[in-house]
Amino acid sequence: MKRIFHFLVSVLSTVGTGSVATATTLPSPFAEAAKDQPQAAIHQDSMRLYELQAIEVTATRAGEQTPVAFANLSKEEIERNNYGLDIPSLLALTPSMVATNETGIGIGGTSMRLRGTDATRLNVTINGVAMNNPDSHSMYWYDTPDLASAVGDMQVQRGAGTSTHGTGAFGGAISMTTSSLDTDFGGDISMSYGSYNTQKQAVHLSSGLMKDHWMVDARLTHIGSDGYVERGATDLKSYFLQGAYYNGRTVVKLLSFGGKAKTYLTYNGVSKEEMELYGRRYHTSGQYSTEYGPYELADGSRVAYHDDETDNYLQLNNQLLLSHQFGNRWAMNLTGFYTYGYGYYKQYKDDAWLMGYDNLPTDIETADLIRQKKMENHFGGLNATFSYTAKSLDLLFGGSYSFYNSPHWGTLDWVEGMTPEQHAGRWYDNNVEKHDANLFAKVNWDITRKLQLFADLQYRFVNYHAWGTNDNYDWTTYEMQPIAVDKQYHFLNPHIGLSYNPSERHNLYASFAIAQKEPTRADFTDRYLFSSDREATPSPELLYDYELGYRYTAPRLQLGVNLYYMSYRDQLIHTGMVNDSSDALNVNVPESYRCGVELTAAWQATKWFTLGANATWSRNKIRDYVDLLSESPTYGQNLGEMTISYSPAVVAGGFLDFHVKGFEAVLRTNYVSEQFFTNTENEALKLDAYSTTHLDLGYTLRGKALKQVRFGVTIYNLFNATYESNGYGYSYMYDGKRYDEAFYFPQAPLHVLANVSVKF
């Protein structure tokens, strides 16, 4: 059995060589070109440095023999597609993955779903440090701008996956590493420009190994776009800095990365009726009525738009990593981390009810106003991992502890007819504290030369405390909604599996895992908006995950099939509604399941032509669904077995990769079948199936003075498909009549983004 260290070293140091588990990681044309170049002897320090840096990710990664469905993306593959889009757009063609975007072009307001599971149930780590917000469990990709440029490689695990830090993995996990330090001096410059004023400028420098011990690496990036949707502007500034000390068997690294994001609020979406009247780029965020407004609506009324209807966020991620190898068998990694965040978003509220603002006089009923919702984040902790490697045994054990604190409050910038003194103060104010700790042990054991056992056991403790007043006004109590949550959770998550290799090219595996996860902030605070039981609190979720797979790998052919059955207890499932911060509202359902088959294939037909595909057919159902939404027309009825919201039955993708000498052309296509917004299979509340195709063209020059100059252009939505990648909706009753409300996020028609990058 290959050692975990050796596998991770190959991930960090190999160009384009992928895991047998995926058809999306393929031999790269750059690797072919490199074969034609004279190869220098590998410096011992370089190999030792790569090996030590590999220790950083052993805790969260699956290896070649791990009985887990996963896909790897190498640094070279990321670079080839990194023109400025957020990471969900880069992962869109991995198996069972659906990427969504609010601005229509893949930048700002992006998210993803894996096996129908939303982003709050996908665990995201970088260097083993959890990146999900501990409160909302979401990963806000634009809060860490241009993270793709800082990433060394990524692994996407599907299902419960292996033990990881942070919130539980209920649909999958995304494990990232930052770029490995290089022993040679170098750097790169990258510039992109394209449709809708989309642009990226980035500069990167690496010192190489100085005085046999020291290294420094730095990057600065700016990404901007007007967006496809009106006023969908994005302005992202980021930095990445790492310094390291290397001494034989030890590496100490200090990293700091993050940036400042400013995005126009676009999460209202647009209805089909509005698209017919005003076009697909229309949305109502920031819109307000005014007699002298410069824009006229279909009914003749005049409107204007608040020019600072924006989300603003600063996030600084800091990590201190110590990796040490004790001889040939033992290794250790310690990671201390602290993330600081501060942000707010501004909104213009037209004719707002003032009863919902605690700091305002009560004798005025309505007024126009501009409000801010603010938050501050403090997230810190320590991860520790120890590994032991013997001839037939890999042992990994460790744990982590983190503390999170996040005050939330709201202020008013302006209220029509009031002085600043009259609207001073906070209209809501609350705080959150969360302690999260886990211990885990993993073992890979060669029972025989062909049979391996994998076992993983994690204990996780969560203490969640939230208090104060929320931003919701409760119209039944006529006061701001109080928050009083004090919950403790003890989760035991086992995972066991077998991997069998009847011959060198064939691998069979089977596994069973249990995963448990606590509710999110919105599950506690916004439950009263739709639940018939106003005093109930959400239950934690429980998953039983069964996986069975087969992999075939040969020098030019990779094949894979994975069968999964995920049985849930109290799964928190989208109702289709969202709160006024665009967070999905969820409800526990007693029993539900997701099952399917995932197929992957890749064939390097010739030295210059590669093709591949993946497809997932799934069934995602709630058993005996009883509608508990208080305003639903089917309230209290048992609707039988219903399709889970936002769970497409088919997700598929494929590509053709033509490359010769320095030229490359890649045609990529993906398909996503229809998705319902709610759990009642309402045809009026659904997202239609869609298919998109993108064409990547690139040409690479190599020389002595400059290592590489690459010119690239991507034509997105090549066949000009009209589609929406996401949306939300709900039903309600009024005067005995049923109404369905649905809102969508349209995506851009054919558009282009060009890039030039220089490595030296």
Side-chain angles (χ1 to χ4, degrees):
M1 178 175 66
K2 281 193 174 183
R3 302 276 66 86
I4 293 178
F5 288 152
H6 295 169
F7 167 71
L8 289 169
V9 171
S10 70
V11 170
L12 287 168
S13 58
T14 303
V15 176
T17 57
S19 161
V20 295
T22 175
T24 61
T25 304
L26 296 166
S28 163
F30 297 122
E32 295 295 332
K35 292 177 183 176
D36 298 331
Q37 304 296 322
Q39 298 297 305
I42 299 175
H43 194 279
Q44 183 64 36
D45 278 340
S46 296
M47 292 302 296
R48 174 67 68 182
L49 184 57
Y50 277 125
E51 186 173 351
L52 286 167
Q53 291 179 97
I55 297 172
E56 298 164 7
V57 296
T58 55
T60 57
R61 288 290 174 94
E64 290 178 312
Q65 302 299 326
T66 308
V68 170
F70 65 93
N72 287 330
L73 273 79
S74 69
K75 180 176 179 61
E76 286 70 27
E77 290 170 296
I78 297 168
E79 287 180 345
R80 288 161 58 194
N81 298 283
N82 182 22
Y83 293 0
L85 303 189
D86 293 342
I87 284 179
S89 302
L90 301 180
L91 296 178
L93 285 179
T94 59
S96 301
M97 184 73 76
V98 175
T100 67
N101 179 243
E102 293 178 3
T103 67
I105 57 168
I107 299 175
T110 54
S111 190
M112 63 180 78
R113 300 189 185 98
L114 185 58
R115 290 186 177 176
T117 303
D118 75 288
T120 65
R121 288 154 181 80
L122 303 180
N123 176 274
V124 181
T125 59
I126 188 161
N127 298 332
V129 176
M131 294 294 289
N132 301 72
N133 181 282
D135 201 13
S136 68
H137 300 192
S138 292
M139 172 63 188
Y140 301 101
W141 295 98
Y142 59 83
D143 285 347
T144 310
D146 197 32
L147 187 59
S149 294
V151 166
D153 60 79
M154 289 188 279
Q155 183 179 92
V156 180
Q157 297 179 16
R158 306 189 295 278
T162 64
S163 287
T164 186
H165 307 302
T167 59
F170 250 57
I174 300 167
S175 170
M176 300 179 287
T177 67
T178 50
S179 298
S180 298
L181 288 157
D182 201 326
T183 55
D184 296 324
F185 171 81
D188 57 83
I189 299 172
S190 176
M191 292 177 287
S192 302
Y193 190 79
S195 305
Y196 310 107
N197 196 31
T198 302
Q199 55 188 287
K200 173 186 175 182
Q201 305 89 33
V203 58
H204 166 236
L205 286 174
S206 180
S207 70
L209 190 61
M210 300 181 297
K211 296 184 178 180
D212 297 326
H213 294 293
W214 300 93
M215 290 159 287
V216 178
D217 193 79
R219 180 185 299 275
L220 292 174
T221 305
H222 170 259
I223 297 174
S225 177
D226 293 341
Y228 168 65
V229 302
E230 294 174 353
R231 308 177 309 283
T234 301
D235 185 22
L236 310 175
K237 299 179 179 68
S238 71
Y239 76 98
F240 175 78
L241 177 66
Q242 62 175 333
Y245 173 80
Y246 161 70
N247 187 12
R249 294 183 176 273
T250 304
V251 169
V252 180
K253 292 170 62 175
L254 177 63
L255 296 90
S256 185
F257 60 93
K260 188 175 183 180
K262 184 172 185 176
T263 59
Y264 198 97
L265 296 176
T266 56
Y267 58 61
N268 281 4
V270 58
S271 68
K272 289 185 176 180
E273 294 76 14
E274 289 170 334
M275 282 191 275
E276 291 177 1
L277 287 171
Y278 310 117
R280 294 173 53 79
R281 304 180 70 178
Y282 174 82
H283 68 102
T284 59
S285 294
Q287 179 178 293
Y288 60 96
S289 299
T290 177
E291 183 179 355
Y292 303 104
Y295 305 99
E296 183 177 354
L297 298 182
D299 60 3
S301 61
R302 310 292 299 188
V303 298
Y305 294 94
H306 182 221
D307 60 4
D308 198 16
E309 188 91 352
T310 57
D311 185 2
N312 304 265
Y313 199 77
L314 170 71
Q315 182 165 299
L316 309 176
N317 304 273
N318 305 282
Q319 299 178 5
L320 178 62
L321 301 94
L322 169 63
S323 299
H324 182 74
Q325 198 161 357
F326 305 91
N328 296 323
R329 296 187 181 275
W330 284 94
M332 172 192 71
N333 175 251
L334 300 176
T335 303
F337 56 91
Y338 170 70
T339 298
Y340 171 78
Y342 170 76
Y344 63 92
Y345 63 84
K346 290 188 176 184
Q347 291 178 300
Y348 191 108
K349 305 299 287 185
D350 193 11
D351 205 25
W353 283 90
L354 300 190
M355 291 180 66
Y357 298 88
D358 239 10
N359 59 325
L360 296 182
T362 58
D363 55 338
I364 303 175
E365 191 173 75
T366 63
D368 293 353
L369 57 84
I370 298 173
R371 69 184 190 181
Q372 286 194 42
K373 290 186 174 182
K374 302 181 180 181
M375 66 183 302
E376 191 173 73
N377 285 325
H378 302 273
F379 177 54
L382 177 68
N383 296 342
T385 305
F386 299 88
S387 57
Y388 173 80
T389 302
K391 183 177 181 180
S392 61
L393 181 70
D394 287 335
L395 178 63
L396 187 71
F397 58 92
S400 70
Y401 166 78
S402 66
F403 172 75
Y404 176 75
N405 173 260
S406 179
H408 296 64
W409 70 98
T411 61
L412 298 172
D413 285 1
W414 170 80
V415 180
E416 182 184 22
M418 293 189 189
T419 65
E421 291 75 16
Q422 288 177 295
H423 60 73
R426 299 182 175 187
W427 55 282
Y428 72 92
D429 195 353
N430 60 74
N431 207 335
V432 170
E433 286 187 357
K434 183 176 183 179
H435 299 264
D436 193 331
N438 76 76
L439 296 171
F440 68 88
K442 301 180 186 181
V443 61
N444 283 280
W445 175 36
D446 289 341
I447 300 175
T448 68
R449 185 173 60 86
K450 296 183 177 182
L451 182 65
Q452 294 84 33
L453 170 70
F454 170 79
D456 181 358
L457 181 63
Q458 181 200 55
Y459 165 73
R460 181 166 174 249
F461 169 74
V462 177
N463 186 345
Y464 181 78
H465 182 40
W467 67 96
T469 56
N470 201 20
D471 57 345
N472 296 323
Y473 184 76
D474 192 334
W475 291 94
T476 60
T477 62
Y478 298 104
E479 60 183 19
M480 301 301 290
Q481 180 201 11
I483 299 178
V485 183
D486 191 1
K487 293 287 185 180
Q488 292 79 40
Y489 302 97
H490 299 270
F491 298 138
L492 193 63
N493 301 317
H495 190 168
I496 190 167
L498 290 171
S499 179
Y500 177 64
N501 300 279
S503 65
E504 182 181 358
R505 296 183 176 182
H506 301 272
N507 173 251
L508 294 164
Y509 64 87
S511 69
F512 169 72
I514 296 176
Q516 300 174 80
K517 181 179 176 298
E518 73 278 15
T520 69
R521 172 190 177 89
D523 294 331
F524 285 108
T525 62
D526 296 336
R527 189 178 181 86
Y528 85 103
L529 293 171
F530 58 87
S531 177
S532 60
D533 186 354
R534 300 173 58 84
E535 302 302 322
T537 58
S539 301
E541 304 171 89
L542 174 65
L543 165 65
Y544 300 99
D545 183 18
Y546 305 84
E547 307 272 341
L548 178 65
Y550 165 75
R551 301 162 179 155
Y552 173 83
T553 181
R556 292 184 177 273
L557 180 65
Q558 299 178 10
L559 300 172
V561 57
N562 187 75
L563 306 174
Y564 66 89
Y565 181 79
M566 304 167 72
S567 177
Y568 295 87
R569 300 293 181 271
D570 293 320
Q571 184 179 185
L572 283 159
I573 291 176
H574 290 345
T575 66
M577 296 186 290
V578 297
N579 64 17
D580 67 352
S581 297
S582 194
D583 297 317
L585 303 183
N586 304 309
V587 62
N588 286 115
V589 297
E591 294 189 35
S592 56
Y593 66 90
R594 302 179 187 273
C595 64
V597 56
E598 297 166 324
L599 303 179
T600 59
W603 178 38
Q604 188 176 7
T606 69
K607 183 178 179 180
W608 47 267
F609 180 61
T610 303
L611 65 160
N614 64 75
T616 300
W617 288 271
S618 65
R619 182 178 175 87
N620 310 274
K621 295 290 184 177
I622 301 171
R623 301 183 189 274
D624 298 319
Y625 178 60
V626 177
D627 193 348
L628 297 178
L629 308 184
S630 57
E631 294 185 359
S632 170
T634 56
Y635 167 67
Q637 298 180 25
N638 188 325
L639 303 180
E641 191 169 270
M642 304 298 289
T643 300
I644 299 175
S645 59
Y646 298 96
S647 300
V650 181
V651 177
F655 69 91
L656 305 174
D657 187 339
F658 173 85
H659 46 271
V660 57
K661 295 185 178 179
F663 176 75
E664 178 188 17
V666 183
L667 187 72
R668 307 175 188 274
T669 298
N670 72 315
Y671 170 82
V672 180
S673 65
E674 67 178 17
Q675 305 169 63
F676 292 104
F677 293 152
T678 67
N679 301 299
T680 57
E681 299 182 2
N682 185 342
E683 290 290 325
L685 301 174
K686 77 172 186 179
L687 200 64
D688 291 333
Y690 63 88
S691 178
T692 58
T693 300
H694 311 310
L695 176 62
D696 300 322
L697 301 172
Y699 187 76
T700 302
L701 298 171
R702 301 179 188 275
K704 294 182 179 180
L706 297 175
K707 292 181 182 178
Q708 175 181 297
V709 180
R710 186 175 191 272
F711 302 92
V713 61
T714 298
I715 305 172
Y716 297 98
N717 198 359
L718 180 64
F719 300 119
N720 212 32
T722 300
Y723 74 105
E724 297 84 37
S725 69
N726 200 11
Y728 62 97
Y730 52 90
S731 301
Y732 64 93
M733 301 293 292
Y734 185 72
D735 284 344
K737 185 178 179 181
R738 177 194 180 114
Y739 294 87
D740 296 316
E741 298 282 355
F743 301 90
Y744 302 86
F745 297 100
Q747 301 300 290
L750 184 149
H751 57 291
V752 177
L753 189 57
N755 171 269
V756 58
S757 60
V758 179
K759 287 189 176 182
F760 53 87

